[in-house]
Amino acid sequence: EAAASEEEEDDDDFPLDEEDDGTWDESEENAPEEEVEDEEEDEDEGNTRRRHERHHLRRRRLQSTASSPAVPPSLPSSPPPPRPFVHVMILNSGNLPVFLNMMCSASAHDLLDFKDSLLIFAADTEVHTALTKLGYASYRHEAFGRFGKEEHKAYGDRTFLQMMWLKTLAGWLVNRLGYDFLYLDSDLVMFKDTYALFEREEDRGVDVFMQDDGARSDRFGPYFGNTGFFFVRANGRTRALMQAMLFSYEWVLAWRSHQAIFSYLLEDHYLRNNLMIKILPLEALPTGKVYHHLKDVMAEMVEGKRKESLYLFHMNWALNNQEKIEYLRELGWWYIDSDRCNSPSLPPSIETV
């Protein structure tokens, strides 16, 4: 209100000519200057000076309340207890096998505790029924739309794009309800609890964490994050971000990519709202880029030489689930139908489901 009143005072100090339509008249440029009394000049200079002083005062007030890129100025000396967050996933029947493999990997490494905070948005009745019988929190509503039941055959195909709408909607809903959330694709292999990645004291001011995709193409720049694993804190900045993402689905269709549009909006909201983004290291959260292009590093991971820094593996950079399962079998990370999958909330085989 104070800023608004000051702006009104500015308008009073510099009233616009009601007959001035804002167009440029070249005749005015060469017109002879009118003689102005010294007192009027002094008055104009005084008005300009006061206006500048008010402008700088408002700027200092805004700067004093703005958050630091790393740590908000209001952060207490001792960090607050960590807030619980929701694990969010989307799933259709075609992706159920890779999802169950992810849960088997979590079971093999004693990480199934996160199941209690896992919310799965089901794309079809069949997968919703299967998940409910297995004890997962599954949610489905007809108003979300219709989605393909089969796995997508290629990146950017019709089924893929339908699921990207559900992905957009799921993130928006959870953020709108005021929850921090961690989004997970179904083609992950879990090794360590990722919670600690988001609760470091030096990262308290970060709004969005993302896995490094590994790609360096312009369409995913400038952050090159991957939307198969990203964490969003619930606050005003991320609420604006997720709202913009919800209203940008037509661009997802045009670009055939959720990740490309989310990357564009991250940069836009960094510039507009001081949204803080952190890209997590590729060595901690490797993707298909490492599998295809860094074979030596991949071999060390499989041999257990990097287990201290390895949190999870994301089997993206693959055409479809058939390729993903083939690659995971090759790595020894296909846990289904093995003695490593021993949780009562998981079936002994895909055929059981």
Side-chain angles (χ1 to χ4, degrees), residues 34-279:
E34 298 180 0
E35 294 183 2
V36 182
E37 298 293 337
D38 292 342
E39 294 181 359
E40 293 180 357
E41 289 181 354
D42 293 341
E43 183 179 354
D44 289 342
E45 290 178 1
N47 289 337
T48 302
R49 190 181 306 108
R50 287 193 297 273
R51 185 176 185 180
H52 287 172
E53 289 174 354
R54 286 195 296 269
H55 169 74
H56 289 300
L57 177 61
R58 286 196 296 268
R59 186 173 67 176
R60 286 194 297 271
R61 288 173 180 170
L62 289 173
Q63 288 175 342
S64 66
T65 58
S67 297
S68 166
V71 181
S74 59
L75 187 68
S77 56
S78 59
R83 295 193 300 174
F85 60 86
V86 180
H87 293 81
V88 175
M89 298 187 70
I90 62 170
L91 199 65
N92 66 358
S93 295
N95 286 312
L96 187 58
V98 290
F99 162 74
L100 292 176
N101 185 71
M102 183 192 80
M103 299 307 295
C104 282
S105 70
S107 174
H109 297 95
D110 298 322
L111 299 174
L112 271 183
D113 288 345
F114 85 92
K115 179 187 172 184
D116 296 335
S117 61
L118 175 61
L119 175 61
I120 304 173
F121 287 79
D124 56 80
T125 303
E126 289 80 358
V127 75
H128 173 67
T129 302
L131 291 170
T132 302
K133 287 182 177 180
L134 290 171
Y136 293 95
S138 174
Y139 184 68
R140 181 176 181 272
H141 199 287
E142 293 292 341
F144 290 168
R146 297 180 180 180
F147 307 93
K149 298 180 182 180
E150 302 298 324
E151 62 166 303
H152 64 270
K153 304 302 181 185
Y155 183 91
D157 68 10
R158 181 180 178 84
T159 302
F160 177 88
L161 293 176
Q162 289 175 342
M163 294 299 290
M164 291 307 99
W165 165 246
L166 188 57
K167 183 175 185 175
T168 301
L169 185 61
W172 175 81
L173 278 171
V174 175
N175 175 263
R176 186 80 174 182
L177 291 171
Y179 291 94
D180 299 351
F181 74 88
L182 173 62
Y183 178 84
L184 304 168
D185 268 357
S186 58
D187 54 353
L188 301 175
V189 180
M190 314 289 287
F191 297 106
K192 291 174 62 177
D193 185 6
T194 58
Y195 186 84
L197 296 174
F198 318 120
E199 293 300 328
R200 294 169 178 165
E201 186 173 353
E202 64 268 23
D203 292 332
R204 294 287 181 175
V206 176
D207 301 305
V208 178
F209 295 81
M210 295 186 74
Q211 179 184 35
D212 187 341
D213 182 81
R216 293 298 181 263
S217 53
D218 289 343
R219 73 196 239 112
F220 297 140
Y223 300 107
F224 307 106
N226 183 277
T227 54
F229 181 91
F230 66 98
F231 178 85
V232 177
R233 296 196 199 278
N235 56 43
R237 293 181 295 275
T238 59
R239 186 170 180 171
L241 171 70
M242 301 309 293
Q243 182 85 357
M245 189 67 204
L246 183 74
F247 291 152
S248 299
Y249 181 65
E250 69 274 17
W251 290 107
V252 174
L253 294 176
W255 285 55
R256 312 188 76 80
S257 172
H258 175 279
Q259 185 168 300
I261 303 307
F262 195 74
S263 299
Y264 165 77
L265 290 175
L266 285 177
E267 181 182 20
D268 183 55
H269 283 251
Y270 163 71
L271 296 172
R272 290 173 180 266
N273 302 326
N274 198 32
L275 182 79
M276 292 292 106
I277 305 106
K278 180 173 182 177
I279 304 302

